[in-house]
Amino acid sequence: MAISLKPLRNQVIVITGASSGIGLVTARMAAKQGAKLVVAARNEEALRQLVEEIRASGREAIYVVADVGREEDVNRIADAAIAHFGRFDTWVNNAGVSIFGRCMDVTIPDMKRMFDTNFWGVVYGSRAAVKHFQDRGGSGALINIGSFFGDRATPIQSTYCTTKHALHGFSDALRMELEKDKIPVSVTLIHPGRIDTPYNEHARSYMAKQPAHRGMIYPPEAVAEAILYSAEHPKRDMYVGFQAKFFAVLGALAPRLMDKLMEIWMYPSQQSDRPSRDREDNALYHPGYGMHERGTHQGWIRSGSLYVKASKHPVATTVAVVASLGVAIWWLTASFSQSF
């Protein structure tokens, strides 16, 4: 089964969750490289602004207002892409939201609502994309945005990491089935570490202090770089930040040690030093504010991800891993020092 993906300049790319954060940055970067865009989210005003911006730069784009937690909405995205452009070549399941709260505090309806977006939205999008690729014939790329919390559970964001564990499992199973049936669809799972997006501001908070990333944080451009590389090159996994790979490996090799480290580090590193927003002020059930790429985190924001660049250039991977390991050790030491 040979998978042959087009250059970005010849592609039509569908991106969900495109009104802010990773989706917004990815859409802008893809447009600059010549791709045609179909952007989707719940915030119509933000989508309209984004499409006008892309068209003003001489590129092509349309938008679809959609809630990915509804299968009929996701199918409308696919139908709109086909009706306007005749096809799509890459589908990016990026839409997502989080809840910061303990397992016993988060309500069951809130848990179910997040599964609608983070898990079922990916299932609906994946099925719509694969069906189109099969109907059209030829190769296509399906890119699902997971999380390093999909490889290793965390306290405080219990529901979020559970949805990402499910997303990871679905992506892996789908990939194997497509390969077994010799269907030329590249299924890539992106594993971002902590990313500087409005993710924390859009989250529902059960905490006294405002959710935020603290410690090492990567820019959304690093995730977009991984996504767009995967749109042109079949990749199984792309880790954004050595942090993501480090915790996945350590969690698998020494799970009890990782439990203890997470118990110490994750409570202070997921909360800022300011009061939390009101519990109703979030994007769980309603669209969040749009056209913002960055969040309100407190930490060391990197300029990019060395691990992503190493993944694009395998010869440099060993050097990158060694260098990043030193950075990761420094980061853990500094984070633990702040916790005591």
Side-chain angles (χ1 to χ4, degrees):
M1 178 187 71
I3 298 176
S4 178
L5 303 179
K6 300 175 182 177
L8 284 179
R9 65 180 180 275
N10 297 331
Q11 286 203 31
V12 176
I13 301 178
V14 174
I15 303 173
T16 68
S19 60
S20 68
I22 292 168
L24 175 60
V25 172
T26 303
R28 285 170 165 164
M29 288 176 59
K32 286 181 180 178
Q33 296 185 52
K36 299 178 177 65
L37 276 299
V38 180
V39 293
R42 293 173 296 172
N43 188 327
E44 183 170 11
E45 180 55 33
L47 291 176
R48 182 182 293 111
Q49 290 181 41
L50 175 59
V51 167
E52 289 174 354
E53 173 190 312
I54 292 172
R55 289 175 175 172
S57 70
R59 305 302 184 184
E60 294 184 60
I62 63 170
Y63 72 83
V64 181
V65 179
D67 180 342
V68 298
R70 296 167 53 88
E71 185 175 12
E72 56 270 33
D73 280 19
V74 174
N75 289 336
R76 281 197 300 103
I77 300 171
D79 291 344
I82 295 167
H84 189 87
F85 293 111
R87 71 181 202 285
F88 55 85
D89 305 289
T90 293
W91 183 292
V92 183
N93 283 312
N94 167 71
V97 67
S98 188
I99 297 173
F100 285 72
R102 296 171 181 265
C103 294
M104 299 302 291
D105 293 338
V106 178
T107 67
I108 297 300
D110 282 358
M111 291 183 179
K112 289 182 176 180
R113 173 57 186 169
M114 200 203 296
F115 261 90
D116 285 342
T117 300
N118 291 14
F119 175 67
W120 287 109
V122 171
V123 173
Y124 301 148
S126 298
R127 288 166 65 99
V130 170
K131 181 180 184 303
H132 172 65
F133 296 146
Q134 287 184 286
D135 290 346
R136 188 192 69 188
S139 300
L142 171 64
I143 302 172
N144 292 337
I145 311 304
S147 169
F148 78 132
F149 286 152
D151 298 312
R152 171 66 217 191
T154 179
I156 296 182
Q157 289 191 79
S158 56
T159 309
Y160 178 79
C161 68
T162 304
T163 64
K164 293 299 184 178
H165 272 71
L167 183 163
H168 286 204
F170 175 79
S171 300
D172 288 343
L174 177 62
R175 182 189 302 108
M176 289 185 288
E177 291 177 0
L178 294 173
E179 186 172 49
K180 175 66 175 177
D181 293 340
K182 302 187 184 307
I183 298 172
V185 176
S186 172
V187 179
T188 300
L189 182 59
I190 307 291
H191 306 245
R194 287 181 154 171
I195 309 300
D196 184 20
T197 71
Y199 159 95
N200 63 317
E201 298 291 340
H202 290 168
R204 170 159 286 199
S205 173
Y206 284 73
M207 312 303 293
K209 293 184 177 180
Q210 172 63 23
H213 296 324
R214 305 184 81 159
M216 186 185 298
I217 306 168
Y218 292 86
E221 287 82 0
V223 188
E225 181 181 2
I227 291 170
L228 296 181
Y229 182 79
S230 301
E232 292 184 301
H233 306 85
K235 295 285 291 185
R236 185 184 192 277
D237 298 276
M238 288 286 283
Y239 291 84
V240 182
F242 185 76
Q243 156 193 117
K245 184 68 172 180
F246 179 80
F247 279 105
V249 173
L250 184 60
L253 295 178
R256 285 297 292 143
L257 172 61
M258 196 62 183
D259 286 348
K260 296 300 182 182
L261 294 176
M262 299 282 270
E263 288 166 18
I264 294 170
W265 177 62
M266 278 299 173
Y267 285 89
S269 72
Q270 296 186 85
Q271 301 177 74
S272 69
D273 55 10
R274 63 189 190 278
S276 180
R277 295 160 67 106
D278 185 89
R279 188 176 299 178
E280 300 306 315
D281 185 9
N282 61 78
L284 183 60
Y285 293 96
H286 309 287
Y289 61 85
M291 297 304 286
H292 287 251
E293 295 182 350
R294 304 300 181 109
T296 57
H297 306 286
Q298 300 175 207
W300 173 31
I301 300 176
R302 301 284 304 277
S303 60
S305 169
L306 187 60
Y307 203 89
V308 169
K309 297 187 184 304
S311 299
K312 292 167 60 178
H313 304 285
V315 174
T317 298
T318 301
V319 175
V321 169
V322 171
S324 297
L325 181 60
V327 173
I329 293 172
W330 170 86
W331 169 57
L332 279 173
T333 303
S335 298
F336 290 143
S337 296
Q338 293 175 4
S339 301
F340 293 103

